[in-house]
Amino acid sequence: MKIIDAHVHTINSPDGHDTIKDILQNAKDKGFYYLATTDHLDLDLKECKYNKTPVAWNHIDLDKYYEEWKEASKDAGDIKFRFGIEAGFDPGANEAYLETFKKYPFDVVINSVHFVDHYDVYFLNPFIFRSKKKIYRHYLEKILASLDAPYEYDIVGHIGYVTRNAPYKDRSLRLADFKDLIDAILKKIIEKDKALEINTHHGILPAEEILQRYYELGGRRISFGSDSHRMDIGKDFEVVCAMAKRIGFTHFSVYTNHIPEEIEID
Ligand SMILES: [Zn+2]
Ligand SMILES: [Zn+2]
């Protein structure tokens, strides 16, 4: 089985703990085929002053990240080791992303939505004074808008992120509750030929019924990401392979210089 992981944070992310060197060694020990580091680039927070986090949040030093990645990549051996970024979407940051992306040769870009109604939904702030229905709808509307980002991206990150720390007994984001919106998102991912990420950081996102719906609508391009922040690379990869196969998917897409390669799921 070819083990892959296309969503990994290093110590260059403010919430990452592992050096690129250690991650690469871990991937070698585990016999990986493909690994992309994708640190947080949060121009949605840096450039859009209306977005806030309740804790101090440092921003990535891209020059340092790129230098460290280049140095580590000399020892990549047989692993397809790629340079990536997780770009937090906000329409107000589009120009800044366009400018930044000219400067670094990213192999792979994950397009993620973290901020909804001006707060990162990782924290409780946006859930106060809003119904579950309302905040989940705003989250999905922002994902739909993110798919039209004017800069190059390859993977649509962790759909369902809004549920991770939502303060509800039942946090699930159900297809039946937002059918039109979720269908519109999935259809646009297919139309734009992007990869829908299956993310295993906290449980599996998106929910299986959403992945099934994507398949039903004709979606075939998927990506795998552990979203590792602390030596979690490849987390639940086999579980995801079994689930993907059960639904009907046959391949994962991995990216080099934004060009997809199909990796058979066995
Ligand atoms: Zn994320
Ligand atoms: Zn991430």
Side-chain angles (χ1 to χ4, degrees), residues 7 9 38 40 86 114 158 199 227 229:
H7 189 155
H9 295 276
T38 54
H40 287 290
E86 178 179 15
H114 298 118
H158 54 51
N199 182 302
D227 209 348
H229 288 71

Side-chain angles (χ1 to χ4, degrees), residues 27-234:
K28 278 185 188 170
D29 296 345
K30 289 175 174 168
F32 271 52
Y33 174 78
Y34 174 99
L35 176 81
T37 57
T38 54
D39 277 307
H40 287 290
L41 177 58
D42 299 308
L43 299 181
D44 51 344
L45 178 64
K46 199 174 182 183
E47 300 296 323
C48 308
K49 298 300 174 201
Y50 44 80
N51 288 332
K52 295 176 183 70
T53 50
V55 295
W57 188 256
N58 295 318
H59 289 282
I60 190 166
D61 179 340
L62 281 173
D63 289 335
K64 178 174 168 284
Y65 171 41
Y66 185 40
E67 286 310 314
E68 282 179 18
W69 182 89
K70 274 195 291 191
E71 193 52 39
S73 72
K74 291 175 187 163
D75 295 320
D78 292 336
I79 297 179
K80 289 198 173 188
F81 183 54
R82 300 297 180 251
F83 183 54
I85 207 80
E86 178 179 15
F89 171 79
D90 190 291
N94 283 345
E95 285 305 314
Y97 276 117
L98 280 168
E99 281 310 304
T100 304
F101 285 7
K102 281 181 199 160
K103 294 179 201 149
Y104 300 91
F106 296 118
D107 287 301
V108 54
V109 173
I110 302 172
N111 186 1
S112 291
V113 167
H114 298 118
F115 283 84
V116 182
D117 294 342
H118 308 331
Y119 282 102
D120 188 332
V121 288
Y122 182 83
F123 301 101
L124 283 178
N125 311 59
F127 297 95
I128 303 166
F129 306 124
R130 284 180 193 82
S131 66
K132 175 181 172 186
K133 201 154 190 170
K134 190 169 184 177
I135 185 113
Y136 280 25
R137 183 162 50 77
H138 288 181
Y139 168 71
L140 291 168
E141 284 167 353
K142 193 154 183 191
I143 290 183
L144 186 58
S146 77
L147 302 177
D148 285 324
Y151 44 85
E152 191 155 24
Y153 70 90
D154 311 290
I155 297 169
V156 180
H158 54 51
I159 293 183
Y161 173 75
V162 70
T163 65
R164 273 192 189 166
N165 292 322
Y168 311 119
K169 216 172 184 177
D170 175 12
R171 297 189 300 222
S172 42
L173 170 69
R174 285 204 186 74
L175 183 60
D177 293 338
F178 302 96
K179 185 83 188 327
D180 291 352
L181 204 41
I182 292 173
D183 271 7
I185 290 167
L186 300 177
K187 283 177 186 167
K188 192 164 262 201
I189 294 172
I190 295 165
E191 180 196 308
K192 290 185 168 272
D193 198 26
K194 305 296 183 185
L196 175 62
E197 179 187 71
I198 305 180
N199 182 302
T200 57
H201 188 35
H202 283 295
I204 295 177
L205 294 177
E208 186 162 348
E209 62 167 6
I210 293 176
L211 290 164
Q212 272 165 352
R213 182 63 181 154
Y214 176 64
Y215 188 85
E216 233 172 72
L217 290 169
R220 295 294 181 270
R221 211 180 267 296
I222 52 171
S223 173
F224 173 81
S226 66
D227 209 348
S228 171
H229 288 71
R230 203 190 288 262
M231 275 319 170
D232 253 351
I233 58 168

